Amino acid sequence: MSEDQIISIAIVDDHNLFRQGMISLLSEFREVHIIFDAPNGAVMKQKMTEGLIPEVILLDISMPIVDGYQAAAWIKENYPQTRILALSMFEEDKPIIKMLKSGAGGYLLKESKTTELVDAIKIIKQQGYYLNDLVSGKLLKNIQDNTAGQPLTSDLNTNEIRFLQLCCSEYTYKEIAEQMNLSPHTIDNYRQEIFQKFDIKSRTGLVLFALKHDLVEL
């Protein structure tokens, strides 16, 4: 493997044992080279300002001083060529969405296999994003694109918009049907129609879409 095929990465996480474990595991893969690790976004910013610019950063969310959201936004603004892969224990919609909006190009759980992580690093380096059934590439681009355009919600009726708003709550689809005084079958039809119309693949994708088009606030 030539040097130009090796991906330089950084690991930013406030848990020392986790960082050391990641360093040990990833050192077995020739495809990646760790150029630094950091316990928070503040140390990360210092190292990058000093000239250590990785191609991909594995970024935790909950960290002291400068957290993952702030760190991702700073990277996006100052080093947009560096790809951000969020690596967290959070499975809920809100942290995933907030990290994507902050500039992350992908999101992996810390319980993922090392081989999956290495594959994700390769893909995000090459494509700029990594998808794992959370959102489509088109939707990820839309959520991070600040360019104003024709609002896609013009293709939605009032009930579909209300459905999207309720998707951003903790209600199940059955409870959403009850809230809207509709049958679960009708709600399922709304979901499938919006999935197909806007290239959405999951409930997280529905929430991202609603946030993108200012139907709700995070």
Side-chain angles (χ1 to χ4, degrees), residues 96 107 116 130-137 195 200-205:
I96 296 173
Y107 194 102
E116 182 180 0
Y130 171 71
L131 308 176
N132 50 354
D133 296 327
L134 288 176
V135 294
S136 68
F195 276 5
I200 298 172
K201 297 182 179 180
S202 68
R203 178 151 178 176
T204 298

mmCIF file of all heavy atoms in Angstrom, residues 96 107 116 130-137 195 200-205:
data_model
loop_
_atom_site.group_PDB
_atom_site.id
_atom_site.type_symbol
_atom_site.label_atom_id
_atom_site.label_comp_id
_atom_site.label_asym_id
_atom_site.label_seq_id
_atom_site.Cartn_x
_atom_site.Cartn_y
_atom_site.Cartn_z
ATOM 1 N N ILE A 96 -27.817 12.799 16.934
ATOM 2 C CA ILE A 96 -27.409 12.452 15.573
ATOM 3 C C ILE A 96 -27.662 13.634 14.647
ATOM 4 O O ILE A 96 -26.786 14.073 13.894
ATOM 5 C CB ILE A 96 -28.178 11.211 15.070
ATOM 6 C CG1 ILE A 96 -27.826 9.982 15.918
ATOM 7 C CG2 ILE A 96 -27.854 10.943 13.598
ATOM 8 C CD1 ILE A 96 -28.658 8.756 15.607
ATOM 9 N N TYR A 107 -22.151 9.045 11.213
ATOM 10 C CA TYR A 107 -22.381 8.815 12.637
ATOM 11 C C TYR A 107 -22.320 7.314 12.902
ATOM 12 O O TYR A 107 -23.036 6.532 12.277
ATOM 13 C CB TYR A 107 -23.756 9.364 13.012
ATOM 14 C CG TYR A 107 -24.019 9.511 14.494
ATOM 15 C CD1 TYR A 107 -23.950 10.749 15.098
ATOM 16 C CD2 TYR A 107 -24.363 8.417 15.278
ATOM 17 C CE1 TYR A 107 -24.214 10.908 16.454
ATOM 18 C CE2 TYR A 107 -24.614 8.552 16.628
ATOM 19 C CZ TYR A 107 -24.546 9.804 17.206
ATOM 20 O OH TYR A 107 -24.797 9.961 18.550
ATOM 21 N N GLU A 116 -15.985 -2.237 10.719
ATOM 22 C CA GLU A 116 -17.002 -1.292 10.230
ATOM 23 C C GLU A 116 -16.490 0.137 10.336
ATOM 24 O O GLU A 116 -16.719 0.966 9.444
ATOM 25 C CB GLU A 116 -18.300 -1.442 11.027
ATOM 26 C CG GLU A 116 -19.412 -0.528 10.539
ATOM 27 C CD GLU A 116 -20.699 -0.670 11.335
ATOM 28 O OE1 GLU A 116 -20.732 -1.490 12.277
ATOM 29 O OE2 GLU A 116 -21.667 0.044 11.024
ATOM 30 N N TYR A 130 -20.775 9.215 5.207
ATOM 31 C CA TYR A 130 -20.905 7.784 5.452
ATOM 32 C C TYR A 130 -22.346 7.516 5.862
ATOM 33 O O TYR A 130 -22.851 8.124 6.805
ATOM 34 C CB TYR A 130 -19.949 7.319 6.556
ATOM 35 C CG TYR A 130 -20.218 5.894 6.986
ATOM 36 C CD1 TYR A 130 -19.918 4.820 6.152
ATOM 37 C CD2 TYR A 130 -20.786 5.627 8.230
ATOM 38 C CE1 TYR A 130 -20.177 3.519 6.537
ATOM 39 C CE2 TYR A 130 -21.038 4.321 8.626
ATOM 40 C CZ TYR A 130 -20.736 3.275 7.781
ATOM 41 O OH TYR A 130 -21.000 1.988 8.154
ATOM 42 N N LEU A 131 -23.016 6.627 5.147
ATOM 43 C CA LEU A 131 -24.416 6.319 5.400
ATOM 44 C C LEU A 131 -24.555 4.925 5.986
ATOM 45 O O LEU A 131 -23.965 3.974 5.482
ATOM 46 C CB LEU A 131 -25.220 6.419 4.103
ATOM 47 C CG LEU A 131 -25.047 7.727 3.318
ATOM 48 C CD1 LEU A 131 -25.818 7.667 2.023
ATOM 49 C CD2 LEU A 131 -25.491 8.909 4.153
ATOM 50 N N ASN A 132 -25.339 4.818 7.034
ATOM 51 C CA ASN A 132 -25.606 3.510 7.618
ATOM 52 C C ASN A 132 -27.080 3.393 7.995
ATOM 53 O O ASN A 132 -27.444 3.183 9.145
ATOM 54 C CB ASN A 132 -24.709 3.248 8.832
ATOM 55 C CG ASN A 132 -24.733 4.391 9.822
ATOM 56 O OD1 ASN A 132 -25.332 5.436 9.576
ATOM 57 N ND2 ASN A 132 -24.103 4.195 10.968
ATOM 58 N N ASP A 133 -27.928 3.619 7.007
ATOM 59 C CA ASP A 133 -29.385 3.506 7.134
ATOM 60 C C ASP A 133 -30.019 4.582 8.004
ATOM 61 O O ASP A 133 -31.173 4.464 8.389
ATOM 62 C CB ASP A 133 -29.785 2.123 7.680
ATOM 63 C CG ASP A 133 -29.402 1.000 6.730
ATOM 64 O OD1 ASP A 133 -29.446 1.243 5.510
ATOM 65 O OD2 ASP A 133 -29.070 -0.088 7.204
ATOM 66 N N LEU A 134 -29.278 5.630 8.331
ATOM 67 C CA LEU A 134 -29.881 6.731 9.082
ATOM 68 C C LEU A 134 -30.544 7.720 8.136
ATOM 69 O O LEU A 134 -31.698 8.095 8.315
ATOM 70 C CB LEU A 134 -28.817 7.458 9.910
ATOM 71 C CG LEU A 134 -28.276 6.720 11.119
ATOM 72 C CD1 LEU A 134 -27.165 7.523 11.773
ATOM 73 C CD2 LEU A 134 -29.393 6.468 12.122
ATOM 74 N N VAL A 135 -29.788 8.159 7.143
ATOM 75 C CA VAL A 135 -30.303 9.142 6.184
ATOM 76 C C VAL A 135 -29.746 8.839 4.805
ATOM 77 O O VAL A 135 -28.761 8.132 4.666
ATOM 78 C CB VAL A 135 -29.892 10.584 6.572
ATOM 79 C CG1 VAL A 135 -30.535 11.001 7.864
ATOM 80 C CG2 VAL A 135 -28.391 10.708 6.657
ATOM 81 N N SER A 136 -30.391 9.393 3.799
ATOM 82 C CA SER A 136 -29.868 9.244 2.445
ATOM 83 C C SER A 136 -28.804 10.308 2.196
ATOM 84 O O SER A 136 -28.735 11.313 2.898
ATOM 85 C CB SER A 136 -30.994 9.415 1.427
ATOM 86 O OG SER A 136 -31.441 10.755 1.424
ATOM 87 N N GLY A 137 -27.980 10.081 1.184
ATOM 88 C CA GLY A 137 -26.959 11.067 0.841
ATOM 89 C C GLY A 137 -27.567 12.403 0.466
ATOM 90 O O GLY A 137 -27.063 13.463 0.820
ATOM 91 N N PHE A 195 -41.220 9.029 2.309
ATOM 92 C CA PHE A 195 -39.980 8.296 2.055
ATOM 93 C C PHE A 195 -39.649 8.305 0.566
ATOM 94 O O PHE A 195 -38.528 8.618 0.158
ATOM 95 C CB PHE A 195 -40.115 6.844 2.524
ATOM 96 C CG PHE A 195 -39.836 6.615 3.994
ATOM 97 C CD1 PHE A 195 -39.592 7.673 4.855
ATOM 98 C CD2 PHE A 195 -39.837 5.333 4.510
ATOM 99 C CE1 PHE A 195 -39.342 7.458 6.204
ATOM 100 C CE2 PHE A 195 -39.579 5.105 5.853
ATOM 101 C CZ PHE A 195 -39.336 6.168 6.699
ATOM 102 N N ILE A 200 -36.047 9.510 1.571
ATOM 103 C CA ILE A 200 -35.799 9.368 3.010
ATOM 104 C C ILE A 200 -35.903 7.892 3.372
ATOM 105 O O ILE A 200 -36.731 7.168 2.810
ATOM 106 C CB ILE A 200 -36.809 10.218 3.818
ATOM 107 C CG1 ILE A 200 -36.633 11.702 3.483
ATOM 108 C CG2 ILE A 200 -36.640 9.998 5.325
ATOM 109 C CD1 ILE A 200 -37.698 12.599 4.090
ATOM 110 N N LYS A 201 -35.069 7.458 4.327
ATOM 111 C CA LYS A 201 -35.002 6.025 4.620
ATOM 112 C C LYS A 201 -35.334 5.641 6.052
ATOM 113 O O LYS A 201 -35.377 4.457 6.371
ATOM 114 C CB LYS A 201 -33.594 5.502 4.291
ATOM 115 C CG LYS A 201 -33.225 5.633 2.814
ATOM 116 C CD LYS A 201 -31.847 5.063 2.553
ATOM 117 C CE LYS A 201 -31.484 5.176 1.075
ATOM 118 N NZ LYS A 201 -30.143 4.619 0.786
ATOM 119 N N SER A 202 -35.536 6.605 6.931
ATOM 120 C CA SER A 202 -35.753 6.258 8.330
ATOM 121 C C SER A 202 -36.490 7.381 9.047
ATOM 122 O O SER A 202 -36.679 8.475 8.490
ATOM 123 C CB SER A 202 -34.412 6.023 9.038
ATOM 124 O OG SER A 202 -33.708 7.257 9.125
ATOM 125 N N ARG A 203 -36.865 7.115 10.298
ATOM 126 C CA ARG A 203 -37.523 8.166 11.078
ATOM 127 C C ARG A 203 -36.553 9.314 11.351
ATOM 128 O O ARG A 203 -36.958 10.480 11.354
ATOM 129 C CB ARG A 203 -38.058 7.605 12.397
ATOM 130 C CG ARG A 203 -38.707 8.679 13.255
ATOM 131 C CD ARG A 203 -39.787 8.178 14.138
ATOM 132 N NE ARG A 203 -40.348 9.241 14.963
ATOM 133 C CZ ARG A 203 -41.378 9.064 15.770
ATOM 134 N NH1 ARG A 203 -41.966 7.881 15.854
ATOM 135 N NH2 ARG A 203 -41.830 10.061 16.501
ATOM 136 N N THR A 204 -35.309 8.996 11.588
ATOM 137 C CA THR A 204 -34.317 10.069 11.749
ATOM 138 C C THR A 204 -34.296 10.948 10.508
ATOM 139 O O THR A 204 -34.183 12.168 10.595
ATOM 140 C CB THR A 204 -32.920 9.479 11.996
ATOM 141 O OG1 THR A 204 -32.941 8.724 13.199
ATOM 142 C CG2 THR A 204 -31.871 10.573 12.115
ATOM 143 N N GLY A 205 -34.433 10.331 9.343
ATOM 144 C CA GLY A 205 -34.490 11.091 8.108
ATOM 145 C C GLY A 205 -35.699 12.014 8.063
ATOM 146 O O GLY A 205 -35.613 13.154 7.589
#
